[in-house]
Every structure is written in structure tokens, then in C-alpha cells.
Amino acid sequence: MGKRTKQYKRLMRSFEFLGFRQPYQLLMTSDIIMDTLKVDVIHLFEKTLSTKNLKPMITQCSIRALYNKNVGPDRDPAVAGAIERAKTFERRRCGHLMDEDPLPEHECVMSVVDPKQNGQNKFRYLVATQDVSLREKLRSVIPTPLMYVKRGVLILEPMAASSAKVREREERAKYVPLLVRSCHFSEY
Ligand SMILES: [Zn+2]
């Protein structure tokens, strides 16, 4: 097993400690779908996360963003392929109305991941996006595994400091009583 694979496995175990369960719900934005069209993207995610149990998802606004790119004479012919792929993902109803303009994707994803705006990733989504500022914002939503593609390689970001702090606290709360007990026993 490669070094990175081991590192990511350990990282995902840390996220599982914070309530992530398989199948992992993987929320993808349109940009990363466009950037991974030439590869078997689900296989790539499965390999990177050492899982066979992944649920790729896309919000209604993200798929509408793709449809909006697929118009006009200058449209990128790759968009049609991205739409076909996105259609195979589970559609996440975001509640942003079809008769209104779609929300910008970063706003839509923020509202889905942190619905109460209290900095909590309520439904435990993994988010894969090429949008640097969206990843930046999501680092303060606890706990959110963040992924992106760089030069054809899928990257899982290290756990954000805010999430790591929570994990440390919870781990201490879980194991300290055990430690105290074992010290107690050793007195006999
Ligand atoms: Zn939306």
C-alpha cells in the first residue's frame, strides 16, 4: 500500500471518529466533474479513499450550472459529457427553486453542507470541488473532508485545524476514563 493511501486511510478513520459512515456521501461541484471527464472518476475516488462504498451526489444548482454552460455557439463540447456523467449521480435536492435562477454553486453547496449556518456538516458530506474559496469556507464547517484534483491527482486535504481540535477533544473524552480505570487497576 502506498504512503499516500495509508495516510488517507488514517485520515478517513479520523473522520469516521467524527461520525462519517460508509457509503460516504460525496458531493461534487460541476468544475471537478469537468476536470475529471477523461478518467473513471468514481473508481479514482474509490481508490483514493480505499472504499467500494461511495455515493456520488450533485445538487440541483450544480447540474443546472452545467446545463447553463451547454448553450450557445461557443459552448465547450465537453459539457455534454459532464452532464451525462452528472446524471448518473444521486441528485441532492437543495430546495432552490426551479422557477428561479439557480444559486451560484458555492452558495448552494454551503447551504446544503451547513444548513443551519452553525458551522456543522450536519449530513456528513465529503465535498469535492476545484473552487479554492469554497474549500476555504468549508474548512470552518466541522467536520468536512475536502477533495480536489491537481495535475490529474486526486487530493484529500488534511483535516482542518477546527475539526482536528474537536476530534482531539472527543477522543480524550472517550479514552481518558479508560486510562484512569487502567491506572486504578494497576495499583492492585
Ligand atoms: Zn441549490
Side-chain angles (χ1 to χ4, degrees), residues 94-186:
C94 52
H96 306 127
L97 300 174
M98 296 303 278
D99 55 357
E100 290 172 12
D101 285 338
L103 278 193
E105 281 187 87
H106 61 97
E107 283 180 32
C108 177
V109 169
M110 282 306 290
S111 77
V112 164
V113 176
D114 183 11
K116 291 188 176 164
Q117 295 181 318
N118 60 356
Q120 298 288 325
N121 181 358
K122 188 175 176 203
F123 301 105
R124 297 297 190 260
Y125 289 114
L126 279 83
V127 180
T129 181
Q130 300 295 74
D131 183 339
V132 175
S133 63
L134 175 58
R135 289 205 308 271
E136 172 75 48
K137 276 193 208 127
L138 285 168
R139 274 182 215 122
S140 51
V141 180
I142 299 167
T144 313
L146 295 168
M147 304 185 81
Y148 62 98
V149 172
K150 193 175 176 184
R151 284 185 228 108
V153 179
L154 188 57
I155 310 281
L156 173 63
E157 284 194 4
M159 191 181 274
S162 49
S163 296
K165 222 178 274 173
V166 173
R167 181 183 178 271
E168 224 171 80
R169 200 170 54 219
E170 299 213 344
E171 194 165 34
R172 220 178 296 140
K174 189 172 174 187
Y175 291 118
V176 163
L178 290 176
L179 284 175
V180 170
R181 217 177 315 151
S182 63
C183 286
H184 183 71
F185 280 129
S186 67

